[in-house]
């Protein structure tokens, strides 16, 4: 076994050499690693010890004291013993020691003392009698940066030989064990080889192989031996010829040899077969399959093949018919998988190549691509699909390129295909249809009959239309074509052209009928996609019209938004920003369940309703309560219509289902009031970059609330905070849950605290957007601002008519400080009326507030809920004119209710175009107020 002339002996010698080399390499590596680790560890311990002692509490004070040695020596010795270092020495900038392991050296200078440059620490490595050593010196500075003293820590590195020698026995023992295992393995391999060769020597085995090889390749019948795993173990020359196998076929799986699928299935099936006929290229083979296991061999199959080409003529037509049926079946399965017109055209081109044609092109008019019906005029065709396996360099129109028109053929095709004309009145085509080449198709896609051209080399009319291009096509081996109109539901949708080269042979009459059947099935799918495109475009247009294109101007928030419609269909997500009285702003994000026109229309109704309710200045909880009632009414009407006798099958009408988040932000106080109905809560990013998800009480979705009250939450937002509102499509997806989406959103929002809302929107979409969004996505990012305190003025008003004049004077002085003297008189008139009414008809507390924003806002609040109404007073009425005059001079005015009363507010424009009332009108106005109010 150990002889070098045997395989086992050679393996044993190789293993022995490898083990010795590995042991030597391991010993060297241990020595190098131990030395390097010892030096690095000593350096780190020296640096840490010196830095720790130098900056320890009390070290600086001890060095500055009158007796540094008395204070530092105990600390240094305790630290040295605790850390295990060799030496800790503290000394003054002149090198005189304060501490030392040997007390006799205290007070003496450090040999070779060198001041640390620039007051930085220094680490040195040197060799002593005990081995390598590391010395680290760290300066100690006072508050002014002056060096008060220095600390030196020294560590001696121990020799690595002991560590290496301690691990050497283990290493040698492991090597011996490996060598022993290798020796046993060699013995087992040698024994197994002799058993598998049945004790035959090499000469006997060679003679048996020569006889076997001669017999195998001499017979005129193909022989294959296939293993149980489907790999080809053996094949003779006849089998290679019959199956056209490559030279290195042995060892490959049968499925990788380019055989027919039926042949592959038979060879790997393991079933017994006798003279079963199968096709292999242009041959028909009689196949016999037997299992080898019953005859003493390993599990597998033995296959014999005989050429039966004489049966080809009989089986050829059956094969073609079967292939055509399968191709039609595949057409139904592969065409129309999406509702995209272009993709459906590409599917038609792909399914026919290479099983029916070498090259397929599909041309569609522009209106079909937009979802409309093509006009009966000259609609320009565009080549939308090109699929070819035969020659990729065949000259042809690129995809999406308009096809060159032929005026004479176009006109005739248009007249012949006009469905408004009776069949017997349609004129005959003046030109033979074969004149229309696939690359010179007329602009009108209205031909009513297919075109078969068996041999393009003899089609003079086809060649005459574009001689240069047609000559190039012929030079590249294209010989035959079929052009078929794509018609569905009485509408001409375009053309499909099938090309063949010399490989598949020319088209025949039976190919024409098959191409028409293929085109008819594809035309239905294209028409379905066209109709869907039309409805989708309508819904998208409606949705875009209903969503805000720009946000209104205001100063409370810096706002940016993103909206991404769903790819599968238009959804019902929406967002809004609504300015409110008192410089406040409302933020809205909502989602209507479902897709299509119904969802888009319902979204528009809800958005309009939110605007209307916001005009009443309702708090968030009341607004969502009214919105819940509206959705309930919508659902009731939809259910009644769906069960009525005149119901219509619309796109998903039924129970609406919607969610909404409504927030009001006040830039005066910095508080935001939020309420939500079934909607995801907001995210809040504070100015320092901290991201949180505030706990806003969630109510049932709109339409399901019923008697459940809507709760609100109040947040105090520092200036510069970012409030992020979104719909669930941003976070949830088929491939991830909402927790994963929230984690991604938190990471995206926390990556930059100084980003603008526009940058935040972009970063969130880049990081959080699902790869394939299945729902609409709305995102609204608002950065808060606060109205400057010097632009807000407030006064408490007692319930005394004489208090009107002082308050009015204070207001006048405030307007002058704001530079608004030009509207001062108008403001006095407005405030006089509102304060007088509050004193007469209201209760305490009565307050007046002026806000200098984009406009001048005057607010008068009192403790009653009674609201004034604008009316035109009669000539005999003693009052009722003041509020009418307020409405004339204010740009806007209104009333909002608070938990403790109401606020009557007015807004006055600050633009130059706003003029003060004339003198005669002023006199008339003064007569309207009672004397105490003046």
């Amino acid at each position: 076994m150990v002889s070098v002339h045997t395989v086992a002996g050679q393996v044993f010698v190789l293993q022995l050499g490898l083990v010795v080399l590995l042991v030597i390499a391991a010993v060297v590596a241990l020595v190098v690693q131990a030395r390097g680790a010892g030096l690095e560890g000593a350096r780190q311990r020296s640096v840490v010890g010196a830095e720790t002692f130098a900056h320890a509490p009390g070290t600086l004070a001890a060095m500055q004291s009158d007796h540094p040695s008395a204070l530092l020596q105990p600390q240094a010795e305790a630290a040295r013993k605790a850390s295990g270092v060799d030496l800790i020495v503290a000394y003054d900038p002149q090198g005189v020691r304060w501490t030392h392991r040997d007390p006799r050296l205290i007070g003496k200078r450090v040999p070779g003392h060198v001041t640390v440059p620039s007051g930085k620490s220094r680490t040195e490595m040197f060799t002593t009698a005990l081995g390598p050593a590391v010395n680290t010196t760290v300066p100690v500075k006072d508050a002014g940066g002056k060096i008060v003293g220095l600390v030196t820590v020294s560590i001696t590195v121990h020799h690595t030989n002991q560590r290496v020698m301690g691990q050497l026995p283990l290493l040698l023992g492991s090597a011996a064990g490996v060598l022993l295992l290798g020796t046993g393995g060699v013995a087992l391999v040698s024994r197994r080889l002799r058993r598998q060769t049945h004790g035959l020597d090499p000469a006997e085995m060679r003679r048996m192989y020569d006889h076997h090889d001669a017999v195998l390749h001499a017979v005129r019948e193909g022989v294959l031996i296939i293993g149980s795993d489907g790999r080809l173990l053996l094949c003779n020359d006849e089998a290679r010829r019959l199956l056209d196998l490559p030279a290195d076929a042995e060892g490959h799986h049968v499925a990788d040899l380019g055989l027919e699928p039926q042949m592959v299935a038979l060879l790997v099936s393991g079933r017994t077969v006798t003279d079963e006929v199968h096709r292999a290229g242009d041959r028909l083979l009689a196949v016999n399959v037997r299992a080898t296991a019953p005859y003493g061999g390993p599990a597998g199959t033995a296959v014999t093949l005989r050429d039966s080409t004489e049966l080809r003529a009989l089986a050829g037509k059956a094969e073609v018919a079967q292939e055509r049926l399968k191709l039609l079946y595949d057409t139904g399965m592969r065409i129309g998988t999406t509702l995209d017109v272009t993709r459906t055209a590409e599917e038609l081109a792909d399914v026919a190549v290479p099983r029916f044609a070498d090259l397929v092109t599909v041309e569609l008019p522009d209106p079909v691509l937009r979802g409309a019906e093509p006009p009966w005029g000259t609609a320009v065709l565009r080549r939308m699909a090109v699929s070819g396996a035969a020659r990729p360099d065949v000259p042809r129109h690129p995809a999406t390129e308009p096809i060159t028109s032929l005026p004479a053929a176009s006109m005739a095709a248009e007249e012949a295909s006009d469905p408004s004309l009776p069949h017997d009145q349609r004129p005959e085509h003046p030109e033979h249809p074969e004149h229309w080449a696939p690359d010179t198709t007329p602009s009108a896609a209205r031909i009513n009959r297919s075109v078969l051209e068996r041999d393009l080399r003899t089609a003079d009319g086809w060649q005459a239309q574009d001689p240069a291009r047609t000559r190039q096509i012929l030079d590249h081996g294209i010989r035959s074509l079929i052009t078929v109109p794509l018609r569905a539901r009485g509408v001409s949708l375009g053309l499909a052209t099938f090309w063949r080269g010399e490989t598949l042979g020319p088209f025949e009459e039976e190919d024409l009928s098959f191409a028409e059947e293929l085109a008819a099935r594809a035309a239905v799918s294209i028409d379905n996609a066209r109709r869907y495109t039309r409805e989708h475009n309508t819904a998208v247009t409606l949705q875009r019209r209903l969503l805000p294109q720009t946000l209104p101007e205001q100063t409370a928030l810096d706002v940016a938004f993103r909206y991404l419609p769903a790819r599968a269909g238009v959804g019902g997500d929406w967002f809004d920003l609504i300015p409110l009285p008192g410089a406040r702003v409302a933020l809205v994000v909502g989602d209507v369940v479902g897709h299509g026109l119904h969802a888009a229309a319902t979204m528009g109704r809800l958005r309009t309703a939110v605007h209307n309710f916001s005009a009443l200045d309702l708090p968030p909880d009341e607004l969502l309560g009214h919105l819940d009632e509206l959705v309930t009414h919508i659902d009731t009407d939809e259910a009644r219509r769906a069960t009525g006798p005149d119901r219509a099958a619309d796109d998903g009408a039924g129970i609406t289902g919607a969610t909404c988040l409504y927030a009001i932000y006040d830039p005066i106080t910095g508080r935001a009031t939020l309420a939500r109905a079934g909607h995801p809560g907001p995210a809040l990013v504070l100015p320092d970059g901290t991201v949180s998800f505030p706990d806003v009480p969630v109510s049932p979705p709109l339409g399901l609330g019923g008697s459940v009250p809507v709760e609100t939450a109040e947040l105090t937002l520092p200036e510069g905070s970012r409030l992020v509102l979104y719909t669930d499509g941003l976070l949830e997806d088929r491939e991830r849950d909402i927790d994963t989406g929230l984690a991604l959103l938190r990471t995206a929002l926390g990556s930059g605290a100084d980003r603008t809302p526009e940058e935040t929107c972009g970063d969130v979409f880049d990081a959080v957007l699902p790869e394939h969004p299945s729902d609409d996505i709305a995102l609204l990012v608002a950065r808060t601002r606060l109205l400057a305190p010097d632009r807000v003025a407030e006064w408490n008003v007692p319930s005394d008519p004489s208090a009107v004049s002082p308050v009015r004077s204070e207001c006048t002085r405030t307007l002058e400080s704001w530079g608004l003297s030009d509207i001062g008189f108008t403001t006095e008139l407005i405030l006089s009326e509102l304060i007088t009414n509050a004193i007469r008809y209201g209760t305490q507390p009565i307050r007046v507030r002026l806000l200098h924003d984009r406009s001048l806002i005057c607010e008068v609040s009192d403790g009653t809920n009674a609201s004034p109404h604008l009316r035109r007073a009669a000539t005999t009425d003693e009052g009722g004119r003041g509020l009418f005059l307020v409405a004339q001079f204010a740009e806007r005015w209104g009333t909002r209710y608070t938990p403790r009363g109401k606020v009557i507010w007015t807004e006055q424009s600050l633009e130059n175009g706003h003029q003060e009332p004339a003198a005669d009108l002023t006199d008339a106005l003064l007569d309207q107020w009672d004397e105490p109010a003046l």
Side-chain angles (χ1 to χ4, degrees):
M1 182 185 68
V2 297
S3 174
V4 295
H5 298 290
T6 64
V7 175
Q10 294 173 359
V11 172
F12 178 79
V13 172
L14 178 62
Q15 289 180 346
L16 179 62
L18 289 176
V19 169
V20 172
L21 290 177
L22 289 175
V23 170
I24 295 175
V27 171
V28 173
L30 281 174
V31 172
V32 173
Q33 182 180 6
R35 180 177 295 276
L39 289 175
E40 181 61 21
R43 190 190 68 81
Q44 293 180 358
R45 290 179 57 195
S46 174
V47 171
V48 171
E51 292 285 352
T52 302
F53 190 83
H55 299 95
T59 300
L60 176 62
M63 290 182 175
Q64 293 177 338
S65 65
D66 296 335
H67 302 285
S69 295
L71 298 176
L72 292 176
Q73 175 66 10
Q75 297 179 7
E77 285 302 297
R80 180 183 66 80
K81 295 177 180 179
S83 61
V85 301
D86 294 330
L87 190 64
I88 297 180
V89 178
Y91 52 91
D92 61 14
Q94 287 73 37
V96 178
R97 296 187 183 96
W98 287 327
T99 67
H100 197 274
R101 184 174 182 175
D102 186 359
R104 294 174 299 178
L105 299 179
I106 296 176
K108 298 181 179 181
R109 293 181 60 85
V110 177
H113 165 65
V114 179
T115 304
V116 178
S118 303
K120 298 182 180 179
S121 61
R122 181 180 62 191
T123 300
E124 299 175 332
M125 294 187 181
F126 53 93
T127 303
T128 65
L130 299 178
V134 180
N135 189 42
T136 299
T137 302
V138 177
V140 180
K141 304 177 183 179
D142 59 9
K146 179 181 178 182
I147 297 178
V148 177
L150 298 98
V151 175
T152 298
V153 175
S154 300
I155 299 177
T156 301
V157 183
H158 297 290
H159 292 290
T160 62
N161 296 338
Q162 295 180 353
R163 182 179 303 176
V164 175
M165 295 302 295
Q167 296 182 4
L168 192 58
L170 178 61
L171 179 62
L172 294 177
S174 301
V178 171
L179 186 59
L180 182 61
L181 290 176
T183 304
V186 169
L188 291 176
V189 170
S190 177
R191 182 178 179 184
R192 183 169 181 83
L193 285 175
R194 293 187 60 83
R195 187 193 316 168
Q196 290 181 346
T197 58
H198 301 286
L200 297 176
D201 58 31
E204 293 175 327
M205 294 178 61
R206 178 177 297 277
R207 185 171 60 255
M208 291 181 60
Y209 175 78
D210 291 340
H211 285 291
H212 166 271
D213 193 55
V215 173
L216 180 66
H217 294 286
V219 298
R220 300 308 300 167
E221 192 172 65
V223 179
L224 302 174
I225 303 297
I226 301 173
S228 58
D229 58 352
R231 295 186 178 275
L232 182 62
L233 303 179
L234 180 67
C235 66
N236 64 353
D237 295 340
E238 183 68 8
R240 294 181 188 274
R241 185 183 68 84
L242 295 177
L243 297 178
D244 195 18
L245 297 178
D248 58 345
E250 286 88 354
H252 290 79
H253 197 277
V254 175
D256 300 331
L257 299 178
L259 303 178
E260 295 289 337
Q262 297 87 348
M263 180 66 75
V264 174
L266 173 62
L267 296 180
V268 300
S269 64
R271 61 188 180 93
T272 301
V273 172
T274 301
D275 289 337
E276 190 171 296
V277 178
H278 286 270
R279 186 172 183 175
D282 57 349
R283 297 183 178 89
L284 291 177
L285 304 180
V287 184
N288 294 272
V289 181
R290 294 290 186 274
T292 59
Y295 304 99
T301 55
V303 182
T304 61
L305 309 169
R306 293 197 312 273
D307 192 355
S308 301
T309 311
E310 64 273 8
L311 299 177
R312 178 180 180 182
L314 180 62
K317 293 185 178 180
E319 287 282 342
V320 173
Q322 182 180 3
E323 180 64 23
R324 295 292 170 80
L325 289 175
K326 189 175 185 303
L327 182 55
L328 287 178
Y329 172 79
D330 292 343
T331 300
M333 297 297 295
R334 294 174 55 184
I335 297 180
T337 58
T338 66
L339 290 174
D340 181 80
V341 175
T342 303
R343 180 56 191 155
T344 305
E346 292 172 349
E347 291 171 344
L348 168 60
D350 293 338
V351 76
V353 176
R355 296 160 64 183
F356 179 67
D358 292 322
L359 180 68
V360 178
T361 61
V362 180
E363 295 84 20
L364 302 176
D366 286 338
V368 173
L369 301 177
R370 298 191 300 268
E373 292 188 4
W376 293 110
T378 55
V380 176
L381 288 173
R382 293 186 183 275
R383 181 149 292 169
M384 301 309 301
V386 178
S387 178
R391 294 292 298 273
D393 55 345
V394 174
R396 56 181 182 265
H397 285 289
T400 72
E401 178 180 311
I403 306 301
T404 306
S405 64
L406 295 179
S410 300
M411 185 180 300
E414 176 185 348
E415 295 172 355
S417 60
D418 190 349
S420 62
L421 296 176
H423 184 73
D424 56 353
Q425 296 181 15
R426 296 179 187 176
E428 293 295 332
H429 205 302
E431 298 289 341
H432 196 276
E434 66 188 16
H435 292 176
W436 294 337
D439 283 304
T440 53
T441 306
S443 62
R446 302 293 184 251
I447 59 175
N448 281 336
R449 50 180 174 171
S450 303
V451 177
L452 166 62
E453 193 62 64
R454 292 183 179 86
D455 191 352
L456 294 176
R457 291 171 294 185
T458 61
D460 297 334
W462 174 76
Q463 297 184 32
Q465 297 199 26
D466 192 347
R469 186 185 295 270
T470 56
R471 175 50 53 189
Q472 292 177 350
I473 293 175
L474 293 175
D475 291 342
H476 282 78
I478 300 298
R479 295 292 180 262
S480 183
L481 70 83
I482 291 179
T483 300
V484 183
L486 297 172
R487 294 184 60 84
R489 303 180 180 97
V491 178
S492 294
L493 302 173
L495 297 174
T497 304
F498 305 89
W499 303 65
R500 275 190 183 178
E502 297 177 347
T503 303
L504 295 178
F507 287 112
E508 302 295 339
E509 287 293 337
E510 57 269 21
D511 295 324
L512 181 61
S513 60
F514 177 78
E516 291 175 341
E517 177 66 20
L518 195 66
R521 297 193 180 196
V524 174
S525 298
I526 292 176
D527 191 52
N528 291 338
R530 177 188 67 84
R531 291 168 178 261
Y532 171 79
T533 301
R534 179 180 60 191
E535 295 179 2
H536 180 74
N537 291 341
T538 302
V540 168
T541 302
L542 174 62
Q543 183 188 46
R544 289 177 178 174
R545 295 287 184 180
L546 294 176
L547 287 174
Q549 304 302 313
T550 58
L551 297 179
E553 296 182 358
Q554 42 78 40
T555 58
L557 298 169
D558 184 9
V559 183
F561 65 91
R562 290 287 190 279
Y563 183 83
L564 181 66
R567 295 182 180 180
V570 175
D573 291 13
W574 91 91
F575 62 93
D576 226 326
L577 184 142
I578 306 172
L580 299 177
R584 298 169 303 138
V585 176
L587 298 171
V588 191
V589 172
D591 183 4
V592 175
V593 177
H595 295 85
L597 286 173
H598 176 72
T602 304
M603 176 269 290
R605 298 172 68 179
L606 295 183
R607 180 170 178 255
T608 302
V610 170
H611 271 269
N612 293 335
F613 293 145
S614 299
L616 300 177
D617 212 343
L618 299 177
D621 53 344
E622 293 185 23
L623 186 143
L624 291 183
H626 289 296
L627 204 61
D628 178 73
E629 294 180 6
L630 174 62
V631 174
T632 301
H633 288 306
I634 293 176
D635 289 342
T636 303
D637 294 341
E638 293 290 346
R640 186 182 300 112
R641 184 175 61 178
T643 57
D646 55 345
R647 62 183 182 274
D650 52 14
D651 59 339
I655 301 302
T656 301
T659 64
C660 184
L661 172 61
Y662 188 85
I664 296 178
Y665 174 70
D666 188 350
I668 311 301
T669 62
R671 286 195 297 267
T673 305
L674 305 93
R676 59 181 176 133
H679 200 84
L684 177 62
V685 185
L686 296 179
D688 61 357
T690 303
V691 181
S692 63
F693 296 93
D695 185 14
V696 179
V698 58
S699 301
L702 300 175
L704 303 177
S707 59
V708 179
V710 179
E711 301 182 52
T712 61
E714 280 202 4
L715 305 176
T716 300
L717 307 180
E719 186 173 13
S721 301
R722 283 172 289 170
L723 192 62
V724 182
L725 283 65
Y726 49 87
T727 56
D728 56 359
L730 179 66
L731 304 181
E732 293 183 284
D733 190 60
R734 296 186 182 95
E735 301 176 358
R736 73 183 186 197
D737 56 17
I738 190 171
D739 293 334
T740 304
L742 286 173
L744 293 174
L745 179 60
R746 180 188 295 273
T747 303
L749 293 176
S751 59
D754 55 347
R755 292 176 299 179
T756 64
E758 187 67 29
E759 294 172 342
T760 302
C761 285
D763 292 343
V764 169
F765 260 44
D766 292 341
V768 187
L769 192 68
E771 184 176 356
H772 302 288
S774 58
D775 194 6
D776 287 16
I777 298 175
L779 175 65
L780 196 63
V781 179
R783 183 168 58 189
T784 61
R785 299 172 180 167
L786 291 178
L787 194 62
D790 58 356
R791 287 176 170 257
V792 181
E794 292 185 89
W795 298 274
N796 291 320
V797 181
S799 299
D800 185 359
S802 62
V804 177
S805 180
V807 173
R808 189 172 58 196
S809 300
E810 290 291 334
C811 293
T812 300
R813 285 191 289 271
T814 300
L815 293 178
E816 291 176 353
S817 66
W818 289 345
L820 302 179
S821 302
D822 54 340
I823 60 173
F825 185 70
T826 303
T827 306
E828 287 186 44
L829 296 178
I830 293 173
L831 288 176
S832 295
E833 170 60 23
L834 298 182
I835 297 173
T836 302
N837 285 344
I839 293 174
R840 283 184 176 181
Y841 307 112
T843 60
Q844 288 292 337
I846 301 175
R847 294 180 61 83
V848 176
R849 185 169 72 169
L850 295 183
L851 305 178
H852 183 194
D853 193 28
R854 297 173 61 87
S855 60
L856 178 64
I857 302 172
C858 303
E859 296 181 346
V860 178
S861 61
D862 63 75
T864 64
N865 291 325
S867 176
H869 297 282
L870 181 65
R871 64 186 181 89
R872 186 179 295 275
T875 306
T876 57
D877 290 343
E878 295 183 0
R881 297 175 178 83
L883 194 59
F884 176 79
L885 295 175
V886 169
Q888 299 300 312
F889 290 111
E891 186 175 293
R892 295 172 59 214
W893 76 280
T895 304
R896 73 171 183 270
Y897 295 95
T898 65
R900 297 183 179 179
K902 68 176 182 298
V903 177
I904 302 178
W905 55 270
T906 64
E907 290 186 8
Q908 296 171 255
S909 174
L910 303 181
E911 298 179 359
N912 295 331
H914 189 83
Q915 300 293 334
E916 285 288 299
D920 54 348
L921 182 58
T922 301
D923 295 338
L925 292 175
L926 292 176
D927 294 338
Q928 304 298 322
W929 275 275
D930 296 332
E931 194 66 30
L934 301 175

